[in-house]
Amino acid sequence: MMNLLRLIGGRSASAPVARERLQILLAHERGVGGSAAPELLELLRSEILAVVSKHVDLDPEKVVVKMDRGKFVSMLEVDIEVPNGMERSKMVAAR
Amino acid sequence: MAKVLVVTSGKGGVGKTTSTAALGAALAQAGQSVVVIDFDVGLRNLDLVMGAERRVVFDLINVVQGVAKLSQALIRDKRLENLWLIPASQTRDKDALTDEGVRRVINELRSKFDWILCDSPAGIERGATLAMRYADEAVIVTNPEVSSVRDSDRIIGMLDSKTAKAERGERVEKHLLVTRYDAARASRGEMLSIDDILEILATPLLGIIPESQDVLRASNVGCPVTLNSTNSAPSRAYMDAVRRLMGETVPMTVPVERKGLMNRLLRRRAA
């Protein structure tokens, strides 16, 4: 789809990039100054990072905790990127 | 009993003052009695956009400080007899506004008008918080652009926590007004679409004001766009927004400019 748009428009669509950047940024900012409990998201993120890091080596930047605010419910999304290979062997070794 | 409506955005230059003038005029054109108040102390502009800049004698600060009576600061629009303006001060600093003073002025206006529109300054400082302080409803003006959407999100958070209504455990009714929207660019994926903005901000949509030359033309001559070019696309969009404010159900469309072929060809060459 993106490629199709690129063919027609001659350049890539930038709006999806804008939307995604905003969603990630605002998820963080809402935790700090918004209606959610102060710094809740950052707290969740650091504790999740601490727990998972006990068993798997993680890049702290690859742990993303998002809150999507909806009218009736909000969605808490935890996205953890785990590198392949190295961690697996480490986990096996730990057994 | 008036409804107090704050026109706010966080970010500057997105069209708060233009929209306050247009919504105020459109409400008055619909038969409502309206007062628009400029809260941008030190950088007043609502008087200029509405063409009343040479008629300012007293301002909001004078009234807040008891130097002038409310009736002395109210400027009646020359075109619409049920539209009034209270200008901001050009010389004082923003600290001259006090919470108590603003409360008193708004309470006094409540019995005299159907609508009180508060034109907020940009930012999240005192002027902006006082403009929204006693609001019943809020129009959040947003451009389809990342920094504007981010700042709108911040302002929405403040409307939910820092207003008198929020402190009483009530809700300020929020409406999103997207301005400078270019439907063609959005459909090509070059601009955030209305759906994108609504998904991110989760706030009901009041209207979509298309990007248009008529808006600048109106402010050039000091006339709200709904009066200056009544049938233009932005004007129709503001009129629809006002009908929604008054409780009517109006289908949401993006009004388009009615352009001739020649006009379109010329425009394309210019771009």
Side-chain angles (χ1 to χ4, degrees):
Chain A
M1 186 61 195
M2 287 289 284
N3 286 333
L4 194 67
L5 281 173
R6 204 170 296 177
L7 273 176
I8 297 165
R11 77 192 108 164
S12 65
S14 55
V17 182
R19 186 181 58 199
E20 197 177 334
R21 289 178 59 219
L22 272 169
Q23 279 170 334
I24 293 170
L25 174 74
L26 294 182
H28 283 275
E29 289 187 346
R30 280 170 191 161
V32 180
S35 50
E39 284 145 28
L40 172 64
L41 285 185
E42 189 45 45
L43 185 70
L44 285 174
R45 203 188 77 86
S46 64
E47 290 193 5
I48 290 168
L49 177 64
V51 169
V52 181
S53 293
K54 276 189 204 166
H55 309 287
V56 185
D57 262 339
L58 289 177
D59 178 350
E61 287 200 358
K62 298 287 167 62
V63 178
V64 178
V65 179
K66 283 206 285 189
M67 180 87 83
D68 278 330
R69 191 170 57 185
K71 216 178 227 170
F72 302 106
V73 289
S74 295
M75 181 78 76
L76 181 69
E77 190 182 326
V78 182
D79 194 346
I80 305 175
E81 191 180 308
V82 183
N84 288 332
M86 194 179 92
E87 279 61 39
R88 197 192 179 88
S89 57
K90 199 169 157 190
M91 283 165 80
V92 174
R95 273 186 201 157
Chain B
M1 199 64 176
K3 269 193 183 162
V4 182
L5 180 87
V6 61
V7 181
T8 185
S9 70
K11 186 172 164 14
V14 296
K16 282 183 297 298
T17 301
T18 308
S19 295
T20 306
L23 293 172
L27 279 165
Q29 283 165 287
Q32 305 280 298
S33 69
V34 184
V35 57
V36 292
I37 311 176
D38 192 347
F39 273 80
D40 203 345
V41 177
L43 288 171
R44 75 166 175 231
N45 275 319
L46 188 55
D47 56 331
L48 190 57
V49 170
M50 295 187 64
E53 71 277 12
R54 301 202 320 194
R55 300 165 61 207
V56 174
V57 183
F58 295 107
D59 56 51
L60 179 62
I61 302 288
N62 295 142
V63 180
V64 164
Q65 295 185 333
V67 176
K69 278 186 285 188
L70 192 53
S71 57
Q72 291 176 295
L74 280 164
I75 303 171
R76 187 180 217 152
D77 189 87
K78 283 196 163 161
R79 299 145 297 210
L80 294 166
E81 62 167 15
N82 46 345
L83 177 61
W84 300 74
L85 161 73
I86 299 180
S89 167
Q90 182 71 325
T91 51
R92 311 300 181 92
D93 66 297
K94 59 184 189 302
D95 295 332
L97 272 188
T98 61
D99 189 322
E100 175 53 30
V102 170
R103 193 183 65 83
R104 217 183 56 234
V105 169
I106 288 190
N107 276 346
E108 204 176 331
L109 290 168
R110 270 184 197 269
S111 57
K112 298 184 170 72
F113 293 91
D114 298 323
W115 292 89
I116 302 170
L117 268 57
C118 304
D119 181 20
S120 173
I124 52 170
E125 306 286 315
R126 190 184 183 84
T129 52
L130 282 178
M132 70 170 66
R133 183 79 190 142
Y134 297 99
D136 303 311
E137 300 186 22
V139 170
I140 300 124
V141 182
T142 305
N143 287 171
E145 183 271 325
V146 286
S147 61
S148 175
V149 174
R150 179 199 209 173
D151 292 358
S152 292
D153 189 75
R154 191 79 188 278
I155 285 291
I156 288 168
M158 290 174 66
L159 286 164
D160 288 338
S161 61
K162 302 241 159 104
T163 51
K165 260 198 149 175
E167 284 173 8
R168 289 198 303 268
E170 300 168 44
R171 290 184 82 86
V172 172
E173 198 182 325
K174 300 181 296 274
H175 313 272
L176 197 67
L177 185 69
V178 178
T179 57
R180 308 200 69 166
Y181 189 68
D182 186 331
R185 296 199 72 186
S187 73
R188 291 197 298 268
E190 297 173 13
M191 181 183 265
L192 286 168
S193 69
I194 295 297
D195 287 342
D196 290 338
I197 299 171
L198 291 182
E199 190 192 327
I200 292 167
L201 294 177
T203 299
L205 185 63
L206 178 69
I208 306 163
I209 314 299
E211 172 83 65
S212 164
Q213 302 179 353
D214 293 297
V215 175
L216 181 59
R217 196 177 301 132
S219 81
N220 282 344
V221 297
C223 183
V225 69
T226 52
L227 273 173
N228 196 53
S229 44
T230 311
N231 289 315
S232 66
S235 187
R236 283 179 287 140
Y238 278 118
M239 301 267 196
D240 281 355
V242 153
R243 286 168 63 197
R244 292 183 195 109
L245 278 178
M246 294 194 300
E248 268 184 66
T249 307
V250 184
M252 189 65 69
T253 55
V254 188
V256 287
E257 307 242 354
R258 295 174 182 137
K259 273 195 303 240
L261 180 67
M262 203 56 206
N263 219 331
R264 241 181 255 183
L265 287 172
L266 285 172
R267 173 101 175 247
R268 181 155 302 168
R269 188 169 299 171

